[in-house]
Amino acid sequence: MDRIDVTVTGGCQCGAVRYRATAMLDNSHLCHCRMCQKASGNLFAALVAAPNDALEWTRGVPATFRSSEHVDRGFCAACGTPVFYRGSSGRTNLMIGTLDDPAAFEPRVQMGSEARMPWFERLCGLPDEGETGADAPEWAEAIRLSNRQHPDHD
């Protein structure tokens, strides 16, 4: 795994937990294992790692849940956003969706295939119904105006 000298920032949905990493590893991946499904509340976890020595919490500290004897899962205690997966490897795998620029780390591999949904490969063929709220613009505007989500920057 190569170390990439790049600065990235991210955090939870409400902004109570924020982080900055001054280096990342080129291990961006999707994990389909059942533990990642449960921890993310989704079909898979999209993860990319920061070396522990390059990661700092700039606002708040995530709460943790010890999901196994070897793994801690970090999340925001205020809004519940899953933020990381950390074992004893010297790196913290951040949830790609918590990055301020999640498009910067395209997943390169998949793992945990024993629990991958049998219909996963067909998802890209689903009909695209357009942008959020395209079919209900008043609703989308009301959500936008009352949004409590922290912006993707400090």
Side-chain angles (χ1 to χ4, degrees):
M1 228 176 307
D2 291 330
R3 184 177 174 125
I4 305 162
D5 290 323
V6 61
T7 298
V8 301
T9 56
C12 67
Q13 185 174 21
C14 74
V17 172
R18 296 282 299 161
Y19 60 82
R20 177 177 38 250
T22 55
M24 297 297 286
L25 301 176
D26 66 345
N27 77 328
S28 53
H29 62 283
L30 303 180
C31 184
H32 297 273
C33 82
R34 191 65 183 130
M35 195 176 289
C36 280
Q37 289 173 351
K38 297 282 265 186
S40 67
N42 213 319
L43 303 175
F44 55 83
L47 300 158
V48 64
N52 289 344
D53 64 0
L55 178 64
E56 67 174 314
W57 302 106
T58 59
R59 184 179 308 130
V61 177
T64 58
F65 170 66
R66 191 118 176 118
S67 62
S68 76
E69 187 64 31
H70 305 283
V71 173
D72 289 317
R73 306 241 179 202
F75 60 96
C76 175
C79 68
T81 301
V83 178
F84 73 78
Y85 161 101
R86 182 175 46 224
S88 58
S89 62
R91 65 182 184 253
T92 298
N93 285 281
L94 301 165
M95 299 291 275
I96 291 175
T98 68
L99 296 169
D100 289 343
D101 182 13
F105 292 93
E106 179 179 350
R108 298 164 50 132
V109 298
Q110 298 181 65
M111 56 185 57
S113 58
E114 71 282 357
R116 183 172 43 225
M117 294 297 110
W119 36 261
F120 177 77
E121 300 300 328
R122 297 189 299 273
L123 292 179
C124 289
L126 292 175
D128 184 341
E129 294 190 359
E131 294 182 12
T132 302
D135 60 342
E138 298 83 19
W139 173 82
E141 182 64 6
I143 297 295
R144 187 187 70 75
L145 292 174
S146 65
N147 183 350
R148 293 187 181 104
Q149 183 165 303
H150 189 271
D152 288 336
H153 57 78
D154 283 326

